[in-house]
Structures are given as C-alpha cells and as structure tokens.
Amino acid sequence: MTQEQIKSAVEKFEALIREQDARSEAIKQQGDFIDYDKLDKLTIGICGGDGIGPIITKEAARVLKFILDDEVKSGKIEFRYIDGLTIENRVACNKAIPDDVLEELKQCPVILKGPTTTPQAGDPWPNIESANVAMRKALDLFANVRPVKIPDRNIDWTFFRENTEGAYAVGSKGINVTDDLALDFVVTTTEGTQRIARLAYEYARRNGKDRVSIIQKANVIKTTDGKFLKLCKEIGEEYPEITTDEWYIDITTAKLIDEKRRHDFKVFVLPNLYGDIITDEAAEFQGGVGTAGSANIGKKYAMFEAIHGSAPRMIKEGRGAYADPCSMLRAAVMLLSHIGRQTEADKLEKALDICMITEKKISITGRPDGCTCEEFGNYVMETLKSL
C-alpha cells in the first residue's frame, strides 16, 4: 500500500464524516410530525417502480380509491401518479432517484411505492444506489415499521427498523483502498437512535404491548451497536411499565422459530441491516415476503411499500399479470391507519384475511394456473362490499 493510496482513502473518509455530521445536526432541527387532519387536501403519490411494481401498485391504488371513494369525490384526498422510477430511467440519469421524480415525490406527504430494482455486482447496470435507500434519506423516513401477525400461531410482532443509518447509510460510499483492501462503514448517531427507540416505545405504550426487545450485536460490533443498545435502554427507562430486553441478532433469528419462546416477543427495535434480514424471516411465517407490507415513517413524509423486490424474471417470462398484490394491499392497510382512517384500515385488513386465509376462493400462484393480479383485486373489493 502506497502513501498516496492511504491519503486518498483518508480524504474520502473525512468527507464522509463531515456529511454524516451535517445530517446529524439537521435531525436536531426537525419539528413535529405532520398533522393530516389539518390539510385541506391530502395528496397520495402512487409510484410504481419497475418490474412487477407498476402492476401490483396499480392494483393496490385501485382498492384504496375504492375504499376512500367518498373522500376522493369530495376532493379531500387526491391520488397523484408518478412515473420515472424505473431502472432504465434511473440509469439514464445516473441517479438513484432522478431529480424531477424526487421533486414530484416531495409534493406528496404520503406515498405508495412499488418495488424497484437495485443493481448489484454482475448486473448489466452501473452501481447506482438503491432507490429505497435514497428515498429514505431524501425524505428522512427514519422508521421502517413491519408488522407480522398470525393469531393461531400466537405471533404478534411489530418491527421498528432504523432506516437511515447503520450499514446501509453509506452503503454506496465504501472505499477501495487498494486492489486487496476494501472498507465499508456503519453509522450510528445519538439523534437517529433516540428517535427510532422513542417511536417503538410510544407504539408499545399506545397499543398495550408490554415488551420491547433491542436487537443488536454489541458484543462484537462494540462501537456502533454498543451505542445503539445503550441509547435504546436509556429511552426504555422512560417507560417503566414496559419490559425492555436485549438480544443478539444471531440468537434472535433462532428464537423466532422456537415455538416455546417466540410468543415472548412483541415489539422489536433494531438497526438497519439486521431489521432488513430478520423481517424477511418473520414474513415467512405469514406466507412469505410476497404477503408483507411495510411503512417508512418520517415527520414530514410517509412511504408504504412491499418488502420484496421487483421480480424482473416474472416480467421477462411474461407472467407480470399474475403478480401477487397482497404485499402492496397489506401496505395499503398501514397507509390507511397512518393517515387516521382506522375504520377503513380495519375493514381492508379483515377483507384480506378472508381472501388470503379463511375463505380463499381464488389464489395467486404467479402463473396462469392461478388468478391474475386484477382478478384478486376484484375479489378483495367484492369482499369489502359484503363487510
């Protein structure tokens, strides 16, 4: 390794430190959460993404418009469709989110977003940042909330994954110091950790949950995970009626499949990478990632999405029409709840439980031997009419 290589790496690291310090200071200046009831009109952005994204997002939006029909007709709620988040357009602009698309997204306090393709090594695409990661940072969507609920298996979990820090915060800004040495970085700030912890504990208090589990690997990742654990425990002390426990990420993944122990878990708070991994495992209990939605919450914006990818192979094989919209429909339930339409959220959740679990008159297989995405949407709306 040459002195010049070391100097170049140090300069890049210094720029990264300054960038993250500025972000930390900006968090301190934020105000309160947006109050949707005070808006003359609530604009919900519908952004399809790519692959199967536009198909399943369109279907979820159709169901949302059906259930919010009165407010749409009165002008209280507006749906705005936003294109341009395809991998082709992002590559053409060489940006995770093209500038014009980001400006359109910023006009929508609430966004329903389809999956997007993220390039990886070996792909024909350049190494642009994940659109999801970029959107979470640009709109400061610091909390990724993912529920998994299966009453007959005694599972009722809610995951609060920190969304803007951890291993993903600067995932595209690692340093290739030499051909033999590459470094990536993990980011943990006081402000970022405190706000995700407080959101998790507030949720537990409001919903009568008596336990919050802090998931980390502080015994090995001592600095950043250690800071995350310490700060979450300090926030937990402000909620004496709630039991706080701590688990290492590796043993947590094992205990989620332990029938004797998994019912002990209620609310989880955890850093970005661990949250991404373990919520995919948790989703398998309710039928896989294709059935699970998630919320990305900030103070000014909220974005709701599926937790799975864009399935480009389905499009390539001509099976896009058979894509499963259940993940986006579950995300739509969370969207309705977030904007204060809890009655409508409960109704849609009940309809989905009927269509996906108890009645299941038709099923989606992803192939012509099952129903189409649109047919399933029709089934959900017919079920809604009967409730």
Side-chain angles (χ1 to χ4, degrees):
M1 184 184 303
T2 67
Q3 193 63 35
E4 189 61 34
Q5 287 172 321
I6 294 174
K7 181 181 178 181
S8 175
V10 168
E11 288 174 352
K12 291 176 182 177
F13 187 42
E14 179 182 356
L16 204 55
I17 291 173
R18 294 186 184 280
E19 172 194 285
Q20 291 302 306
D21 180 59
R23 188 185 65 83
S24 177
E25 290 298 318
I27 295 174
K28 298 176 184 178
Q29 307 305 317
Q30 291 181 342
D32 295 329
F33 281 89
I34 188 171
D35 186 343
Y36 298 107
D37 289 335
K38 293 182 178 179
L39 299 178
D40 293 331
K41 177 189 289 186
L42 172 59
T43 301
I44 300 175
I46 307 298
C47 188
D50 53 30
I52 63 170
I55 298 167
I56 61 176
T57 306
K58 177 183 176 183
E59 202 55 41
R62 191 165 73 98
V63 173
L64 268 179
K65 290 177 76 173
F66 175 81
I67 204 167
L68 294 171
D69 185 59
D70 289 343
E71 291 188 272
V72 172
K73 287 178 177 176
S74 70
K76 182 68 176 176
I77 291 179
E78 171 195 21
F79 286 80
R80 183 176 299 175
Y81 290 83
I82 302 169
D83 296 321
L85 211 56
T86 63
I87 183 64
E88 292 81 7
N89 193 44
R90 286 182 281 137
V91 166
C93 298
N94 197 31
K95 288 193 173 184
I97 304 176
D99 292 342
D100 59 335
V101 177
L102 183 57
E103 286 307 308
E104 285 190 80
L105 290 168
K106 286 182 175 179
Q107 304 307 309
C108 306
V110 176
I111 300 161
L112 184 69
K113 187 194 77 64
T116 53
T117 300
T118 301
Q120 61 182 16
D123 284 352
W125 312 108
N127 186 29
I128 56 174
E129 185 180 31
S130 158
N132 279 1
V133 173
M135 190 178 299
R136 290 164 186 163
K137 289 192 288 188
L139 304 181
D140 199 29
L141 305 173
F142 66 87
N144 183 232
V145 186
R146 296 181 175 182
V148 173
K149 188 174 182 179
I150 313 167
D152 62 353
R153 300 179 72 176
N154 205 16
I155 292 174
D156 185 2
W157 302 327
T158 306
F159 297 85
F160 283 79
R161 165 193 172 194
E162 203 294 316
N163 227 4
T164 58
E165 299 189 352
Y168 287 12
V170 287
S172 63
K173 297 182 180 180
I175 299 171
N176 286 301
V177 183
T178 69
D179 289 342
D180 297 319
L181 176 62
L183 296 175
D184 273 310
F185 305 99
V186 177
V187 177
T188 300
T189 69
T190 297
E191 296 76 19
T193 303
Q194 287 176 335
R195 64 183 183 176
I196 187 67
R198 194 172 301 283
L199 202 66
Y201 278 97
E202 283 293 325
Y203 171 86
R205 174 174 281 175
R206 289 196 312 271
N207 290 275
K209 309 295 184 181
D210 61 2
R211 182 180 298 271
V212 172
S213 302
I214 307 168
I215 313 301
Q216 30 63 48
K217 192 65 175 172
N219 60 328
V220 177
I221 314 298
K222 295 182 182 295
T223 303
T224 49
D225 278 24
K227 182 180 182 71
F228 186 89
L229 174 61
K230 174 179 177 290
L231 292 171
C232 287
K233 288 171 72 174
E234 288 176 357
I235 296 295
E237 291 173 0
E238 301 176 22
Y239 300 80
E241 78 278 17
I242 297 172
T243 298
T244 295
D245 58 16
E246 55 186 84
W247 292 81
Y248 296 140
I249 179 62
D250 46 353
I251 194 64
T252 306
T253 61
K255 291 304 176 186
L256 290 193
I257 61 173
D258 183 345
E259 293 185 4
K260 296 179 180 179
R261 296 298 305 273
R262 66 188 183 202
H263 68 273
D264 292 336
F265 293 108
K266 300 291 189 300
V267 177
F268 303 73
V269 58
L270 62 177
N272 209 332
L273 174 60
Y274 306 150
D276 193 8
I277 295 169
I278 206 168
T279 51
D280 281 4
E281 180 196 16
E284 283 297 310
F285 286 94
Q286 65 179 25
V289 295
T291 67
S294 69
N296 299 269
I297 308 298
K299 291 188 173 181
K300 292 184 177 180
Y301 299 97
M303 182 264 283
F304 301 84
E305 62 180 347
I307 73 171
H308 59 72
S310 58
R313 188 171 68 176
M314 286 192 71
I315 299 299
K316 186 177 180 180
E317 295 175 357
R319 296 187 287 115
Y322 299 95
D324 188 343
C326 291
S327 54
M328 292 301 294
L329 289 166
R330 291 290 188 189
V333 171
M334 301 178 76
L335 186 156
L336 289 166
S337 178
H338 182 73
I339 64 174
R341 274 63 174 182
Q342 192 60 48
T343 299
E344 290 83 355
D346 292 343
K347 191 174 179 181
L348 179 55
E349 184 171 39
K350 184 176 181 180
L352 290 174
D353 287 345
I354 291 170
C355 295
M356 295 170 62
I357 302 170
T358 59
E359 187 179 81
K360 207 172 183 180
K361 287 183 178 178
I362 60 176
S363 62
I364 290 184
T365 65
R367 298 181 181 278
D369 61 349
C371 69
T372 65
C373 181
E374 183 176 0
E375 286 170 344
F376 192 85
N378 291 338
Y379 178 29
V380 171
M381 287 187 282
E382 286 300 317
T383 304
L384 284 167
K385 290 178 185 177
S386 67
L387 297 179

